Amino acid sequence: MSTLTEYISNKNKLDEKVLSVFLTAGFPDKNNFTELALNILEAGADMIEIGFPFSDPLADGPIIQNSSYKALLDGIDLTATFNYVKEIRKATGKPIILMGYANPVLSFGVSRFAEQAKASGVDGVIIPDVPIEEYDSFFGNSFNGLDTILLVTPTTSDERIKLMDEKSSGFVYCVSVSGTTGVHQEKNISGIEFVKRAHNVIVK
């Protein structure tokens, strides 16, 4: 059982929810990012998702786009991100997830990325623009020891949700809205219904 699976399972047994907080690596201040992440975990977050910045984060709204842009201007790359993880890991046993796009990983080297992620103390990765059809060729055996978390959306068919659940480890990431991430003004009733549908498909 992976660290993520065990952590979530233990929370579920206590009838507790799991709070995951997303941070863009090095934002808003590259000099105190480690302190920020640890403060968030100490304040009650169960895990953190650290986004490694990319110049063209298509699935993200303006807030995360701007944070990535600022981080890139400050020189934050994958090496800097791994260094942050190492420092955070020294002070906490809570799960750490890396989230980002395939292009930086391909540029860095997929196997090298996986090796550095494991060495720094990462528990899982989310790379949303790797389609399920390319899952095996992209992740291969390099990611053994890391949870590879896949995303399903309101437009994902039941059959595809089942396939994503079979491939995903740690948990399945349910994106509750269609479109980019960010602030939404209206109450998302359809998103709630989608999460219920995904849950019913997965637990059958």
Side-chain angles (χ1 to χ4, degrees), residues 103-117:
N103 277 27
V105 177
L106 291 168
S107 179
F108 192 80
V110 175
S111 296
R112 181 182 171 215
F113 174 89
E115 290 170 4
Q116 291 293 312

PDB file of all heavy atoms in Angstrom, residues 103-117:
ATOM      1  N   ASN A 103       5.509  18.620 -20.899  1.00  0.00           N
ATOM      2  CA  ASN A 103       6.642  19.207 -21.615  1.00  0.00           C
ATOM      3  C   ASN A 103       7.892  19.388 -20.750  1.00  0.00           C
ATOM      4  O   ASN A 103       8.992  19.010 -21.165  1.00  0.00           O
ATOM      5  CB  ASN A 103       6.239  20.546 -22.248  1.00  0.00           C
ATOM      6  CG  ASN A 103       5.545  20.353 -23.586  1.00  0.00           C
ATOM      7  OD1 ASN A 103       4.941  19.316 -23.820  1.00  0.00           O
ATOM      8  ND2 ASN A 103       5.609  21.350 -24.448  1.00  0.00           N
ATOM      9  N   PRO A 104       7.782  19.984 -19.553  1.00  0.00           N
ATOM     10  CA  PRO A 104       8.979  20.111 -18.716  1.00  0.00           C
ATOM     11  C   PRO A 104       9.579  18.758 -18.334  1.00  0.00           C
ATOM     12  O   PRO A 104      10.802  18.631 -18.224  1.00  0.00           O
ATOM     13  CB  PRO A 104       8.475  20.864 -17.476  1.00  0.00           C
ATOM     14  CG  PRO A 104       7.242  21.556 -17.911  1.00  0.00           C
ATOM     15  CD  PRO A 104       6.622  20.665 -18.935  1.00  0.00           C
ATOM     16  N   VAL A 105       8.715  17.757 -18.146  1.00  0.00           N
ATOM     17  CA  VAL A 105       9.196  16.416 -17.787  1.00  0.00           C
ATOM     18  C   VAL A 105       9.951  15.807 -18.958  1.00  0.00           C
ATOM     19  O   VAL A 105      11.032  15.225 -18.794  1.00  0.00           O
ATOM     20  CB  VAL A 105       8.022  15.508 -17.364  1.00  0.00           C
ATOM     21  CG1 VAL A 105       8.518  14.094 -17.065  1.00  0.00           C
ATOM     22  CG2 VAL A 105       7.310  16.093 -16.151  1.00  0.00           C
ATOM     23  N   LEU A 106       9.407  15.943 -20.153  1.00  0.00           N
ATOM     24  CA  LEU A 106      10.074  15.417 -21.348  1.00  0.00           C
ATOM     25  C   LEU A 106      11.404  16.122 -21.579  1.00  0.00           C
ATOM     26  O   LEU A 106      12.400  15.494 -21.946  1.00  0.00           O
ATOM     27  CB  LEU A 106       9.168  15.585 -22.564  1.00  0.00           C
ATOM     28  CG  LEU A 106       7.913  14.695 -22.589  1.00  0.00           C
ATOM     29  CD1 LEU A 106       6.958  15.156 -23.686  1.00  0.00           C
ATOM     30  CD2 LEU A 106       8.288  13.232 -22.788  1.00  0.00           C
ATOM     31  N   SER A 107      11.426  17.430 -21.361  1.00  0.00           N
ATOM     32  CA  SER A 107      12.668  18.196 -21.538  1.00  0.00           C
ATOM     33  C   SER A 107      13.715  17.787 -20.508  1.00  0.00           C
ATOM     34  O   SER A 107      14.906  17.680 -20.829  1.00  0.00           O
ATOM     35  CB  SER A 107      12.368  19.695 -21.416  1.00  0.00           C
ATOM     36  OG  SER A 107      13.543  20.457 -21.548  1.00  0.00           O
ATOM     37  N   PHE A 108      13.282  17.537 -19.284  1.00  0.00           N
ATOM     38  CA  PHE A 108      14.174  17.140 -18.200  1.00  0.00           C
ATOM     39  C   PHE A 108      14.657  15.705 -18.387  1.00  0.00           C
ATOM     40  O   PHE A 108      15.771  15.342 -17.985  1.00  0.00           O
ATOM     41  CB  PHE A 108      13.423  17.280 -16.874  1.00  0.00           C
ATOM     42  CG  PHE A 108      14.253  17.183 -15.638  1.00  0.00           C
ATOM     43  CD1 PHE A 108      14.999  18.262 -15.180  1.00  0.00           C
ATOM     44  CD2 PHE A 108      14.283  16.004 -14.905  1.00  0.00           C
ATOM     45  CE1 PHE A 108      15.757  18.163 -14.024  1.00  0.00           C
ATOM     46  CE2 PHE A 108      15.037  15.901 -13.743  1.00  0.00           C
ATOM     47  CZ  PHE A 108      15.785  16.988 -13.306  1.00  0.00           C
ATOM     48  N   GLY A 109      13.798  14.890 -19.003  1.00  0.00           N
ATOM     49  CA  GLY A 109      14.058  13.453 -19.145  1.00  0.00           C
ATOM     50  C   GLY A 109      13.115  12.704 -18.219  1.00  0.00           C
ATOM     51  O   GLY A 109      13.163  12.918 -17.000  1.00  0.00           O
ATOM     52  N   VAL A 110      12.249  11.855 -18.777  1.00  0.00           N
ATOM     53  CA  VAL A 110      11.216  11.211 -17.967  1.00  0.00           C
ATOM     54  C   VAL A 110      11.825  10.345 -16.861  1.00  0.00           C
ATOM     55  O   VAL A 110      11.432  10.429 -15.692  1.00  0.00           O
ATOM     56  CB  VAL A 110      10.279  10.369 -18.861  1.00  0.00           C
ATOM     57  CG1 VAL A 110       9.270   9.603 -18.006  1.00  0.00           C
ATOM     58  CG2 VAL A 110       9.554  11.255 -19.866  1.00  0.00           C
ATOM     59  N   SER A 111      12.791   9.502 -17.209  1.00  0.00           N
ATOM     60  CA  SER A 111      13.411   8.635 -16.197  1.00  0.00           C
ATOM     61  C   SER A 111      14.151   9.458 -15.152  1.00  0.00           C
ATOM     62  O   SER A 111      14.085   9.154 -13.945  1.00  0.00           O
ATOM     63  CB  SER A 111      14.371   7.651 -16.865  1.00  0.00           C
ATOM     64  OG  SER A 111      13.681   6.774 -17.718  1.00  0.00           O
ATOM     65  N   ARG A 112      14.848  10.487 -15.600  1.00  0.00           N
ATOM     66  CA  ARG A 112      15.570  11.357 -14.670  1.00  0.00           C
ATOM     67  C   ARG A 112      14.603  12.066 -13.733  1.00  0.00           C
ATOM     68  O   ARG A 112      14.858  12.193 -12.530  1.00  0.00           O
ATOM     69  CB  ARG A 112      16.384  12.370 -15.460  1.00  0.00           C
ATOM     70  CG  ARG A 112      17.218  13.325 -14.620  1.00  0.00           C
ATOM     71  CD  ARG A 112      17.952  14.306 -15.487  1.00  0.00           C
ATOM     72  NE  ARG A 112      18.591  15.359 -14.719  1.00  0.00           N
ATOM     73  CZ  ARG A 112      18.718  16.607 -15.119  1.00  0.00           C
ATOM     74  NH1 ARG A 112      18.259  16.966 -16.310  1.00  0.00           N
ATOM     75  NH2 ARG A 112      19.314  17.500 -14.361  1.00  0.00           N
ATOM     76  N   PHE A 113      13.471  12.503 -14.282  1.00  0.00           N
ATOM     77  CA  PHE A 113      12.444  13.143 -13.460  1.00  0.00           C
ATOM     78  C   PHE A 113      11.954  12.195 -12.372  1.00  0.00           C
ATOM     79  O   PHE A 113      11.856  12.563 -11.197  1.00  0.00           O
ATOM     80  CB  PHE A 113      11.276  13.582 -14.344  1.00  0.00           C
ATOM     81  CG  PHE A 113      10.086  14.119 -13.583  1.00  0.00           C
ATOM     82  CD1 PHE A 113       9.990  15.467 -13.274  1.00  0.00           C
ATOM     83  CD2 PHE A 113       9.060  13.270 -13.185  1.00  0.00           C
ATOM     84  CE1 PHE A 113       8.896  15.959 -12.576  1.00  0.00           C
ATOM     85  CE2 PHE A 113       7.967  13.749 -12.484  1.00  0.00           C
ATOM     86  CZ  PHE A 113       7.878  15.099 -12.180  1.00  0.00           C
ATOM     87  N   ALA A 114      11.641  10.964 -12.762  1.00  0.00           N
ATOM     88  CA  ALA A 114      11.139   9.984 -11.800  1.00  0.00           C
ATOM     89  C   ALA A 114      12.177   9.693 -10.718  1.00  0.00           C
ATOM     90  O   ALA A 114      11.845   9.603  -9.525  1.00  0.00           O
ATOM     91  CB  ALA A 114      10.739   8.699 -12.524  1.00  0.00           C
ATOM     92  N   GLU A 115      13.426   9.543 -11.120  1.00  0.00           N
ATOM     93  CA  GLU A 115      14.493   9.272 -10.159  1.00  0.00           C
ATOM     94  C   GLU A 115      14.642  10.420  -9.158  1.00  0.00           C
ATOM     95  O   GLU A 115      14.774  10.196  -7.950  1.00  0.00           O
ATOM     96  CB  GLU A 115      15.819   9.052 -10.897  1.00  0.00           C
ATOM     97  CG  GLU A 115      15.865   7.757 -11.694  1.00  0.00           C
ATOM     98  CD  GLU A 115      17.086   7.694 -12.603  1.00  0.00           C
ATOM     99  OE1 GLU A 115      17.917   8.636 -12.546  1.00  0.00           O
ATOM    100  OE2 GLU A 115      17.204   6.721 -13.374  1.00  0.00           O
ATOM    101  N   GLN A 116      14.654  11.655  -9.677  1.00  0.00           N
ATOM    102  CA  GLN A 116      14.798  12.820  -8.808  1.00  0.00           C
ATOM    103  C   GLN A 116      13.595  12.979  -7.891  1.00  0.00           C
ATOM    104  O   GLN A 116      13.735  13.386  -6.726  1.00  0.00           O
ATOM    105  CB  GLN A 116      14.990  14.080  -9.653  1.00  0.00           C
ATOM    106  CG  GLN A 116      16.321  14.154 -10.379  1.00  0.00           C
ATOM    107  CD  GLN A 116      17.484  14.291  -9.402  1.00  0.00           C
ATOM    108  OE1 GLN A 116      17.453  15.109  -8.493  1.00  0.00           O
ATOM    109  NE2 GLN A 116      18.501  13.479  -9.601  1.00  0.00           N
ATOM    110  N   ALA A 117      12.402  12.682  -8.409  1.00  0.00           N
ATOM    111  CA  ALA A 117      11.197  12.784  -7.597  1.00  0.00           C
ATOM    112  C   ALA A 117      11.264  11.824  -6.413  1.00  0.00           C
ATOM    113  O   ALA A 117      10.999  12.203  -5.266  1.00  0.00           O
ATOM    114  CB  ALA A 117       9.960  12.497  -8.448  1.00  0.00           C
TER     115      ALA A 117
END
